[in-house]
Amino acid sequence: MNYKQPSHRRQATAVKQALRGLNNQLSLFTHRVAGRVRLKDIDLDCLDLIGRHGPLGPSAIAGRAGLHPATVTGILDRLEQGGWITRERKPDATDRRAVTVEVLRNRNAELFGLFAGMNAAMDEVCANYTATELELIAGFLRRTTNAGHEATDALASH
């Protein structure tokens, strides 16, 4: 395939524009959800990271989120005060400051309720595609996510 053809460039540009629109809309949605549960957007992002990859230590959260450890401390304080997470000391750690952070699952229903409309809308969107098409879309989104990780890491190292 010749990627220098004008039609390919136009379609690639259309995909990038659509991703920008999606990013913007998801940011707005996250902002609304976070506001409903009295969190900051970044708090909700970190809660999601902990839920998907946890239990994690604060430095691992900072690394995954691309945040300064002191910033993560403030986020974890808010999440803990809101009853979203628990911090537990590692019993076998030689450093008394070593803790792991876990999501408290008793608040999941609250979040699931707020995401229910979006999940239902996504089910409707996905219903219009075949399993093969959904596999292709999921692969594209995973590769796009990885490209985002790489670009974020490159910015962090400069």
Side-chain angles (χ1 to χ4, degrees):
M1 179 177 284
N2 184 351
Y3 294 109
K4 296 185 189 253
Q5 291 180 348
S7 62
H8 186 275
R9 281 197 308 271
R10 276 194 302 277
Q11 289 302 323
T13 297
V15 167
K16 290 185 268 185
Q17 288 175 342
L19 286 171
R20 285 179 65 195
L22 174 63
N23 179 58
N24 188 281
Q25 188 56 52
L26 290 177
S27 291
L28 294 170
F29 182 73
T30 298
H31 181 72
R32 290 275 171 96
V33 169
R36 290 281 181 97
V37 294
R38 292 180 167 73
L39 293 174
K40 295 181 178 185
D41 300 12
I42 193 67
D43 299 349
L44 193 58
D45 290 340
C46 287
L47 182 64
D48 184 51
L49 283 173
I50 299 163
R52 286 188 295 131
H53 304 288
L56 294 170
S59 60
I61 297 167
R64 284 183 182 270
L67 299 171
H68 190 277
T71 303
V72 170
T73 299
I75 292 168
L76 296 179
D77 287 346
R78 287 190 297 274
L79 290 173
E80 188 173 40
Q81 289 167 359
W84 295 100
I85 62 158
T86 183
R87 289 188 256 199
E88 294 190 19
R89 294 219 185 285
K90 295 179 182 177
D92 56 343
T94 56
D95 182 349
R96 292 182 335 152
R97 297 169 296 169
V99 297
T100 57
V101 180
E102 283 188 70
V103 170
L104 293 171
R105 303 288 177 196
N106 61 327
R107 303 281 312 261
N108 279 354
E110 188 176 352
L111 283 178
F112 286 151
L114 293 170
F115 281 97
M118 182 63 164
N119 283 330
M122 289 305 305
D123 288 342
E124 287 181 33
V125 169
C126 290
N128 293 306
Y129 295 93
T130 66
T132 301
E133 290 169 330
L134 290 173
E135 187 177 339
L136 177 70
I137 293 166
F140 170 79
L141 292 172
R142 280 190 298 274
R143 288 190 305 278
T144 301
T145 300
N146 289 338
H149 284 295
E150 291 170 10
T152 302
D153 290 347
L155 281 176
S157 66
H158 287 90

